[in-house]
Amino acid sequence: MDELDLLKKDWNKKQPDGKTLSSKDIYPMLHKKSSSIVKILFYISVAELVFWILINSIPFVYSKSYKDKLEHIYQNDNLFIGLTIFSYAVIILFIYLLYKSQKTISVTDSAKKLMESILRTRKIVKYYVLYNLVMAGVSLIIGFYYSFTHDPEAVSMLENLSNNRLLLLVLVLIFITSAFIVIIWLFYKLIYGLLLRRLNKNYKELKKLEA
Amino acid sequence: MNKELEHSFVELLEKNQNIIHKVCRLYTNSYDAHNDLFQEITIQLWRAYPKFRGDSKFSTWMYRVGLNTAITLYRKSKRNITTQDFDGVEFKIKAEDYDDTEEQQLKLLYKAIHKLNDIEKALVFLYLEDKDYKEISETLGISQVNARVKMNRVKTKLKTLLNP
């Protein structure tokens, strides 16, 4: 192809005009911070781990009444201890998976493999968030249920409600629970959507080639 | 990282920097963006350098890291979003080679290349650098057959862009 031959000739002839760097220019570059998506992805993962750990722990640390209530609800101590151990085990598992997955990201892999390792890491964070959202949803529902069956105040309030009002209350509770989950989910989608837009586009393009 | 390693890396990079400049030239369209991407590629190369075994050529290794950074890792920084479209200014050929039609044609070619997507640019880049299909397929992670097919498609696409 004529045009491409011309281009090739020009391409090989060309020196970077006025851009040639000396070693003096290069040294400081080695110590600058990277702003690659892998790094940002890593920070987001850590932030999400910390966020959910805090969300799960803050009520215990700060509110004695919450603690008492929980103890009241989970009268079965073993169940409560079991659940706590389970939730920490899950956190440790995710940290381990995340660490392992981050380790496999290598800039010297082929483009496709590199993209796949990054997407895998992102998937692990996604599952972690999903797990937390499900757990949050479930514990909200269980919390409501226990309050309305065990908490004397709530029970007496329920007894005074007509059927219509009860239905309304249930609907409001369902609405609050799902709104909470949807907002977090959207926020999450937005962050990753923006961060990985380019990667996703290019990965799709490479996949298309193999199809 | 020890000083010796740093020294040998900088020396190699200085000698081969043209490869990075070429990647930047394809994937960015302003002076700032060029420098930004150059910086990021340098960081990625430096980080990966301790694992560079020397069983491949330094330059070959650079192609891979450079393209990976441009296609996958690099995030355009905010200040680059408002820059103007590429206008070919950077690619003016020198006075002694001056040929009006040739210059015009080259300008259009570079403009057309900038309209390609990231993967297509990578293919053009590797083609311009005279890489064989084996290396192209290994760099991008696609089969050689698909690399060949896609390369032909990109050439056709360029032709269409040049002669609409």
Side-chain angles (χ1 to χ4, degrees):
Chain A
M1 184 180 167
D2 303 341
E3 287 102 334
L4 278 178
D5 286 339
L6 175 68
L7 183 67
K8 210 172 204 172
K9 206 176 84 192
D10 184 68
W11 182 261
N12 291 324
K13 186 172 63 189
K14 194 135 12 208
Q15 291 300 311
D17 342 312
K19 283 204 183 95
T20 311
L21 302 173
S22 68
S23 54
K24 234 198 261 160
D25 302 317
I26 297 170
Y27 272 113
M29 284 188 175
L30 308 188
H31 305 289
K32 289 237 172 88
K33 282 211 169 88
S34 157
S35 61
S36 80
I37 57 168
V38 173
K39 196 157 179 196
I40 292 165
L41 196 64
F42 174 73
Y43 285 143
I44 294 179
S45 319
V46 171
E48 273 178 35
L49 275 168
V50 170
F51 172 78
W52 286 104
I53 291 171
L54 284 181
I55 287 276
N56 291 328
S57 332
I58 280 177
F60 291 105
V61 180
Y62 286 102
S63 159
K64 176 133 181 18
S65 67
Y66 179 80
K67 218 161 144 186
D68 289 345
K69 232 179 202 158
L70 269 185
E71 267 166 18
H72 183 68
I73 288 173
Y74 295 103
Q75 278 158 344
N76 185 343
D77 260 358
N78 286 339
L79 180 70
F80 186 61
I81 291 169
L83 277 176
T84 312
I85 290 174
F86 174 75
S87 65
Y88 281 103
V90 169
I91 288 169
I92 289 166
L93 178 74
F94 272 111
I95 291 175
Y96 169 72
L97 288 176
L98 212 60
Y99 172 77
K100 228 179 81 181
S101 174
Q102 279 273 346
K103 278 289 227 191
T104 61
I105 296 177
S106 163
V107 73
T108 51
D109 275 335
S110 74
K112 191 156 165 245
K113 199 160 167 226
L114 172 65
M115 290 177 193
E116 278 164 358
S117 338
I118 295 173
L119 290 175
R120 193 173 334 113
T121 307
R122 178 202 171 280
K123 221 177 233 168
I124 291 171
V125 187
K126 184 168 146 182
Y127 288 140
Y128 179 69
V129 171
L130 212 64
Y131 158 80
N132 275 298
L133 286 179
V134 169
M135 288 305 270
V138 168
S139 33
L140 274 177
I141 291 166
I142 291 177
F144 288 141
Y145 176 76
Y146 269 96
S147 310
F148 290 128
T149 47
H150 289 69
D151 187 343
E153 253 177 72
V155 172
S156 75
M157 190 185 90
L158 272 188
E159 276 167 357
N160 294 327
L161 280 180
S162 66
N163 271 352
N164 277 347
R165 292 225 160 172
L166 189 68
L167 186 70
L168 188 72
L169 182 73
V170 170
L171 285 178
V172 167
L173 291 182
I174 290 175
F175 177 76
I176 291 172
T177 311
S178 26
F180 166 75
I181 290 171
V182 167
I183 286 171
I184 291 183
W185 186 248
L186 282 179
F187 177 66
Y188 175 74
K189 275 279 195 205
L190 184 75
I191 291 180
Y192 283 99
L194 287 176
L195 183 66
L196 299 175
R197 194 167 49 190
R198 185 190 179 103
L199 191 153
N200 276 323
K201 207 181 87 195
N202 288 337
Y203 184 65
K204 251 188 220 153
E205 182 71 23
L206 277 178
K207 286 292 270 189
K208 217 169 68 191
L209 289 183
E210 298 290 80
Chain B
M1 306 263 185
N2 64 49
K3 285 274 162 215
E4 220 171 282
L5 197 71
E6 198 172 295
H7 185 71
S8 70
F9 174 78
V10 170
E11 207 173 309
L12 278 168
L13 191 84
E14 192 185 354
K15 222 166 40 195
N16 293 289
Q17 61 176 289
N18 216 358
I19 295 172
I20 313 181
H21 282 300
K22 283 172 171 179
V23 174
C24 296
R25 193 190 287 168
L26 270 188
Y27 284 95
T28 63
N29 50 23
S30 76
Y31 183 75
D32 279 346
H34 183 114
N35 290 345
D36 218 44
L37 181 55
F38 191 98
Q39 161 87 63
E40 188 61 45
I41 292 174
T42 303
I43 295 173
Q44 296 299 334
L45 283 166
W46 172 231
R47 287 211 183 142
Y49 187 59
K51 281 191 200 143
F52 172 66
R53 285 191 201 89
D55 45 3
S56 62
K57 258 169 62 189
F58 187 72
S59 57
T60 308
W61 182 73
M62 275 177 87
Y63 282 111
R64 191 173 272 214
V65 176
L67 277 180
N68 271 341
T69 308
I71 295 174
T72 306
L73 302 179
Y74 178 60
R75 280 171 59 255
K76 285 181 180 140
S77 61
K78 262 196 187 125
R79 63 200 156 108
N80 299 325
I81 290 170
T82 51
T83 52
Q84 291 164 347
D85 268 356
F86 172 76
D87 60 1
V89 169
E90 270 186 54
F91 304 109
K92 256 190 197 141
I93 53 174
K94 289 174 196 130
E96 64 258 36
D97 304 324
Y98 193 78
D99 175 339
D100 198 33
T101 46
E102 210 171 77
E103 192 204 24
Q104 205 54 36
Q105 212 171 356
L106 276 171
K107 211 168 169 178
L108 287 172
L109 260 167
Y110 281 113
K111 220 171 187 165
I113 290 173
H114 270 259
K115 283 189 185 138
L116 298 175
N117 69 37
D118 287 349
I119 305 297
E120 291 165 341
K121 278 180 189 166
L123 280 158
V124 171
F125 174 73
L126 293 165
Y127 165 81
L128 290 174
E129 293 292 320
D130 265 333
K131 299 293 163 198
D132 57 20
Y133 283 111
K134 184 171 176 280
E135 195 170 334
I136 294 176
S137 88
E138 281 166 4
T139 306
L140 295 178
I142 56 177
S143 73
Q144 284 191 43
V145 178
N146 286 328
R148 204 182 291 264
V149 171
K150 184 65 184 174
M151 184 70 89
N152 287 331
R153 272 192 220 145
V154 174
K155 285 180 185 170
T156 316
K157 187 170 175 182
L158 267 182
K159 225 173 196 168
T160 324
L161 281 170
L162 287 168
N163 313 298

